[in-house]
């Protein structure tokens, strides 16, 4: 590279970086305060989490031998359904792909407390911005969303960025890889507990590790995921399906497995 181009880049790069931080911030200011926090739901003024480079990472199709396999390299979709019928998502290169307009996809089986591993890839071709770019989501018990989004140099409201508890908690840091790169979630999820009369005994909780970086540590869900509204609990079954969201973007998933965890609220016989 000649000296002139180097000098030009030195000038241009900070301007481009500045431009990324400039302009109106996506989000809302007319939404309710999130209970127990000082921020509003989808607050555009909430600080952006610090960006962390997660490194290259290592993926494989290995898993613990007590894992329930939901998707392996054969990309056989028998664990999944679209509204109880055959899954409408596609299979591409040994991965499962959301076909825009095909609707969400759910596991056929239901689960309670789990350790869940999955890998996802937002589209290599960058289209759209904010919530319109690489949007999907992992809904635990079909209610509690860990957001999937291309949040690599794509500002959006922090409680809606990749790895957020959507509408509730931003991730501790932004550990996203770029568009078209495979990323991983390891989620330790504890289902909520309700009393017989329907009142909440214990909120749902999750620890989330994104690309090997912890982004939530035993964090409480404030209720099922909602858009622009305050979350609130109502009693539901102790087991629920895992749902992956079709938000109109061709997101791919691979290597999905979980382990059922013991119910530690029951008497411990060990
Ligand atoms: Mg989503």
């Amino acid at each position: 590279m000649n000296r002139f181009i180097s000098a030009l880049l030195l000038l241009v790069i900070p301007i481009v970086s500045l431009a990324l931080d400039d302009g109106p911030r996506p989000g809302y200011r007319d939404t309710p305060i999130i209970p127990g926090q000082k921020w509003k739901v989808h607050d555009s003024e909430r600080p952006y989490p610090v960006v962390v480079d997660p490194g290259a990472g290592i993926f494989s199709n290995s898993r613990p031998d007590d894992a329930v396999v939901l998707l392996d390299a054969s990309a056989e979709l028998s664990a999944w359904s679209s509204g109880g019928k055959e899954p409408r998502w596609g299979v591409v290169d040994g991965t499962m792909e959301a076909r825009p307009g095909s609707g969400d996809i759910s596991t056929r089986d239901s689960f309670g407390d789990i350790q869940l591993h999955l890998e996802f890839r937002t589209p290599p071709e960058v289209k759209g911005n904010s919530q319109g770019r690489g949007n999907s989501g992992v809904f635990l018990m079909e209610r509690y969303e860990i957001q999937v989004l291309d949040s690599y140099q794509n500002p959006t409201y922090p409680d809606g960025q990749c790895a957020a508890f959507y509408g509730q908690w931003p991730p501790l840091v932004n550990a996203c890889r770029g568009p078209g790169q495979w990323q991983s979630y390891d989620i330790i999820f504890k289902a909520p507990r309700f009393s017989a009369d329907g009142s909440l005994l214990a909120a749902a909780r999750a620890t989330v590790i994104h690309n090997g970086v912890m982004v939530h540590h035993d964090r409480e869900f404030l209720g099922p995921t909602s858009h622009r509204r305050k979350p609130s609990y109502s009693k539901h079954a102790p087991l629920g399906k895992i749902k992956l969201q079709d938000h109109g973007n061709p997101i791919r998933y691979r290597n999905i497995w979980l382990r059922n965890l013991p119910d530690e609220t029951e008497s411990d016989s060990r």
Side-chain angles (χ1 to χ4, degrees), residues 74-138:
S74 68
E76 157 66 43
L77 303 192
S78 57
W80 300 88
S81 86
S82 293
K85 304 206 176 90
E86 285 305 297
R88 289 195 292 269
W89 283 25
V91 171
V92 190
D93 300 334
T95 72
M96 183 166 76
E97 184 179 67
R99 293 274 153 83
S102 62
D104 302 337
I105 195 173
S106 298
T107 55
R108 291 185 184 272
D109 291 334
S110 294
F111 309 96
D113 300 347
I114 54 168
Q115 171 186 352
L116 173 67
H117 174 90
L118 61 86
E119 295 161 24
F120 64 91
R121 194 197 81 161
T122 62
E125 187 188 351
V126 171
K127 277 189 187 161
N129 56 36
S130 187
Q131 294 290 304
R133 180 166 143 190
N135 196 335
S136 179
V138 180

Side-chain angles (χ1 to χ4, degrees), residues 2 23 47 65 69 84 125-126 155 180 183 216 218 266 269:
N2 71 35
D65 70 359
V69 178
E125 187 188 351
V126 171
Q183 310 194 50
H216 299 283
D218 196 25
E266 305 214 316
S269 55

Side-chain angles (χ1 to χ4, degrees), residues 135-137 145 147-148 245 247:
N135 196 335
S136 179
E145 183 185 19
Q147 173 72 310
V148 169
Q245 186 185 41
H247 202 283

Side-chain angles (χ1 to χ4, degrees), residues 38 208 221:
K38 65 177 187 178
V208 179
F221 278 95

